[in-house]
Amino acid sequence: MAIARAPHAAGEAPRDAAPAAGLNSVHLTLEALEKRYGNLPPSVSALSLQLRQGELLGLLGPSGCGKTTTLRMISGLVPVTAGRILVAGRDVTALPPYRRDMGVVFQAYALFPHMTVAENVAFGLEMRKVSRTEAKERVMRALGMVRLEALADRKPRELSGGQQQRVALARALVIEPSILLLDEPLSNLDAKLRDEMRNEIRDIQQRLGITAVFVTHDQVEAMAICDRIGVMRAGRLEQIATPLEMYERPTTPFVADFVGRMNHLRGTRLEGGGVRVGEAVLATAGTSPAGEALLLMVRPHRIQMTPAATAQPEAAGRNVQPGTVRRVTFVGDALHYEVAMGAETMLVESSTVSGPQSFAVGDAVFLAWSPDDTLTFPAGTEA
Amino acid sequence: MSAALLTRPRADWRGGTVLMALLAPILLVNVLTFLAPVINLAMLSFRGSGPGGSIQEGLTTATWTSLLTDSFYWEILLGTVWTSLLITFLTLLCSYPVALWVSRLGARWRNLMMVVCISPLLVSAVVRTYGWMILLGDQGFVPGVIRAMGMTPPRLLFNETGVIIGLTEILMPYMILSLLAGFGKLDRTLEDAAGTLGARPFTVFRRIVLPLSLPGLLLGCLLTFVLAVSSFITPKLLGGGRVVLLATEIYDQAIVTLNWPLASALSILVLVVFGAALAVYGQLSKLVD
Amino acid sequence: MNTLSLPRIAYGVLVALLLVFLLAPVLLVFPISFSADNFIAWPPSGWSPRWYVALARESELLLAFRNSVVLGLVVTVLSLAIALPAAVMLVRKEFPGRDILFSVFTAPLLLPSIVLGLAILIVFVGRGLVGSWFGMVLAHLTLTLPYALRVLATGLKTLPPAVEDAAGTLGARPFTVFRRVTLPLMAPALIAAGALSFLVSFDEVVISLFIVGPQLKVLPVSLYHYVESRTDPLVASASAVLILVTLLLVIVVERAVGLRKAVGGGG
Ligand SMILES: Nc1ncnc2c1ncn2[C@@H]1O[C@H](COP(=O)(O)OP(=O)(O)OP(=O)(O)O)[C@@H](O)[C@H]1O
Ligand SMILES: [Mg+2]
């Protein structure tokens, strides 16, 4: 499918493009945005970020953290309490929604119940005074994109939740907005359709060079298609980074927990640089003053597990600890082991394809991981 | 886009002037024919009335004094309250079985019967009252039936009996509606649960159904009482001028005697009765909760 | 519990009797309207359509009927025109005193009509509004606006979420949003509010009784005066006609609202 795009916005934004290149100029800027409803504590505060032209930002965070509110401020549906919104360097903070040229996919779809699917999708084009014949063609193309051509004449209430969601997507895309705001656009689709649609969204967004914000609860989804990810917590942007960086180098325990599973270990820094956790002394990459209470985090799939019967694995600066398998869970493409390690319980994940070795409950094992894979946070910074 | 467009959204929903402009008409009607007249009415009760419906200058409590010291008006007030209470009780008695029955029907029949029960509301009070004149008149339906049974019918029309019968029927739809709203919260499975625990039907009713339907019942009683106190057409026509209630007295003072200060004071009295009913209702609802 | 026990039968009979009691005065109007007698008597000594013929000749009642219809239509149109913008403002816009205003606008519903009628009469008399169309429309609006406002406000509040926002982000200006999205979705509420306004105005007796004049008579008041002075079956035939007209109106509304729902008007 080919959606024509105004020539000025052509150009793809490669996944890890270097910023500051001419083509990738800053497109959307949020400056210290704040939103308060009445006298309640702010729903969003001190939110600043910059998106390059054609960049896709994933917005993650627990329910009620202010994701929808952020999108509503960007689209002009709620006035900001403080801060500025700039599009291509122009201040749009005071513009009403109908002048912002932003496509929005609403969390609750918000389809017009009195119009057919085709009429819903055509509405934005009609507002832009696109000729009937062109509108018709573009509507059908957009519906094709979301695989709904066959249902063009249905009313929204004759569609399933997932179909409605796709109509909402088509309606937002057909106007070829310069900025696309998606509020959990895939939450009601089955796993297969979800993967398909997310790649479709990524495709279109890249091809048309649309700058987009994609709110989701699914970190895998965000990792898969986003150029950068922002994690929000209680109205604040906790961290914004590329998916890889976010995964490998989260700046807070909250973010670390949010983007994937984590083992938590509590310990105290020793004089020599190691960290005492229970009986064991573990090596970490960074340093900190002796005596400080620390929270160590290790990703389950970064832990290597070997049978205790064989020789202790080569240390080479790695942390090696004995343990006992307590529980095994098969989750399709991986095995999850719960391993008792001293007083702690560690989660270990091993791929069912790469690991020839499989373990049973009660097996004595060695757990090994690199100090580089150990994240260190001062205790008390978690949730 | 020009710079001017970037400043503020144009006066759309957000504009204060638009707000005023759109609310002005309803405000105007409200002030002209509700607020101002009612305030005026309250003030008028503190003026004296002269011959031929004239109103005297200067404020006085004379109207209120004569009203509150005249046993005639006390009798009307107490009579109205008593009659209204009786009507409320009878309306409840007649409505409860019907509402309970309707609430037990399947969804389809329930909706249909609900419409049937409230359909009399769509018919003008004059027409319904006229219907009662056909039923209760000396040559009417009910006396006819009584005569056919070989008895002498009592006088049913143009006295208090007629007014009470007519108003009871006329107010039934309100009571049924309120009761049904209350029954909405009543879960049939609760009753069945009580039944399986060994409670006999009457016990189930007294211990489960009645307590749960009390809020709707109280609301229905408040509504019926208030409507009975302020009813005018039915007492006037079915009472044949022989039944004097607050509302009919207000009308007579206003239209026949042309004593507007007194009519105004009586109106305020009606509102006081309303307030008292509301207070009692509030207290009872608290007890029920 | 589903067996036919004696208490169950007794309960059924009781309910049936009460329903008869409830509906009798409305239903009995029909047979009496075909009475051949000069006065109300049951059973009538004979059957005849003579009272319908008499009704057709009763020019005063016919005029009052016409006045009532015209008044009802005018009041309905004005009620919708005034209540709709007010409802939009009161539901959509947040401003101090909003809830108080809403209560004040619906307060006339709480006032007994005998009190309201008297209050209006007193302020109308000095200004020559008694017996005038303007005064009558104004007084009826006092009664119909609270109903219309309530129904429309409820309609607005129960609109599907975010559809208006969605239209805005698609480029529709506020008025276009209102015309293309809000208004079509409000159709059932508008029809209900209109029908209610018409019925309230058409049936209103007490307030009209205070402010009718010799030049302007309305049907409920004329019927009231007729019943007060004479008891012949003429009013029965008039009542029968009125009941049928009301029934027709209700069916039309039900069809219209139901139809809107069928074609996806929401609500
Ligand atoms: N209109 C409103 N009035 C008052 N508070 C509001 C309003 N809208 C949102 N909030 C509050 O603002 C906070 C953020 O809400 P928001 O809808 O942005 O959360 P969210 O991150 O989108 O959550 P979810 O993932 O559940 O959709 C919440 O605490 C919510 O209660
Ligand atoms: Mg949300």
Side-chain angles (χ1 to χ4, degrees), chain B residues 13 19 26 30 33 40 44 94 97 100-101 122 127 130-135 139 141 169 230 232 236 254 267 274, chain C residues 11 18 21-22 25 32 40-42 89 93 104 112 118 122 138 142 174 199 203 209 224 227 232-233 236 239:
Chain B
W13 302 128
L19 175 78
I26 196 169
N30 194 269
T33 53
N40 181 54
L44 207 61
C94 293
L100 194 61
W101 177 74
L122 294 173
V127 171
Y130 178 77
W132 277 110
M133 297 174 84
I134 300 173
L135 277 162
Q139 301 297 312
F141 185 84
E169 185 269 340
S230 53
F232 165 73
K236 195 81 180 159
S267 298
F274 270 39
Chain C
Y11 181 57
L18 289 171
F21 175 65
L22 179 62
I32 284 287
I40 300 173
W42 188 267
M89 282 296 122
K93 182 103 172 90
V104 170
L118 174 64
I122 292 171
L138 205 57
T142 314
L199 279 180
D203 278 349
L209 198 57
Y224 169 82
V227 172
D232 60 42
S239 300

Side-chain angles (χ1 to χ4, degrees), chain B residues 10 12-15 18-19 22-23 25-27 29-30 32-35 37-38 40-41 44 93-94 97-98 100-101 113 116-117 119-124 126-128 130-135 139-141 144 165 168-169 172-173 176 188 201 230 232-233 236-237 247 250-251 254-255 260 263-264 267 270-271 274, chain C residues 1 11 14-15 18-19 21-26 28-29 32 39-42 82 85-86 88-90 93 95 101 104-105 107-108 110-112 114-116 118-125 138-139 141-142 145 149 173-174 178 199 203 205-206 209-210 220 223-224 227-228 231-233 235-236 239 242-243 246 250:
Chain B
R10 278 205 248 136
D12 42 47
W13 302 128
R14 295 174 174 89
V18 176
L19 175 78
L22 294 183
L23 285 180
I26 196 169
L27 194 63
V29 173
N30 194 269
L32 281 183
T33 53
F34 173 66
L35 286 181
V38 169
N40 181 54
L41 189 78
L44 207 61
L93 223 54
C94 293
V98 178
L100 194 61
W101 177 74
M113 285 314 296
V116 167
C117 286
S119 62
L121 286 184
L122 294 173
V123 180
S124 160
V126 177
V127 171
R128 293 172 73 194
Y130 178 77
W132 277 110
M133 297 174 84
I134 300 173
L135 277 162
Q139 301 297 312
F141 185 84
I165 294 176
T168 297
E169 185 269 340
M172 264 175 77
I176 293 177
R188 186 79 212 247
S230 53
F232 165 73
I233 295 293
K236 195 81 180 159
L237 291 179
I250 291 173
Y251 183 80
I255 301 294
W260 285 356
S264 303
S267 298
V270 169
L271 296 185
F274 270 39
Chain C
M1 281 285 278
Y11 181 57
L14 176 68
V15 169
L18 289 171
L19 282 175
F21 175 65
L22 179 62
L23 298 176
V26 174
L28 216 63
V29 159
I32 284 287
F39 48 90
I40 300 173
W42 188 267
I82 294 173
V88 170
M89 282 296 122
L90 290 170
K93 182 103 172 90
F95 55 93
L101 265 188
V104 170
F105 290 154
L110 303 174
L111 213 60
I114 185 94
V115 175
L116 192 58
L118 174 64
I120 291 177
L121 170 73
I122 292 171
V123 292
F124 272 16
V125 158
L138 205 57
L141 279 177
T142 314
L145 280 177
L149 186 66
R173 289 160 169 279
F178 185 73
L199 279 180
D203 278 349
V205 206
V206 179
L209 198 57
F210 278 101
L223 281 181
Y224 169 82
V227 172
E228 208 181 21
T231 48
D232 60 42
V235 175
S239 300
L242 279 186
I243 292 170
T246 306
V250 170

Side-chain angles (χ1 to χ4, degrees), chain A residues 37 40 43 62-69 107 184 217:
Chain A
Y37 290 103
L40 303 167
S43 294
S63 185
C65 70
K67 305 181 297 290
T68 299
T69 304
Q107 197 166 2
E184 301 187 32
H217 270 125

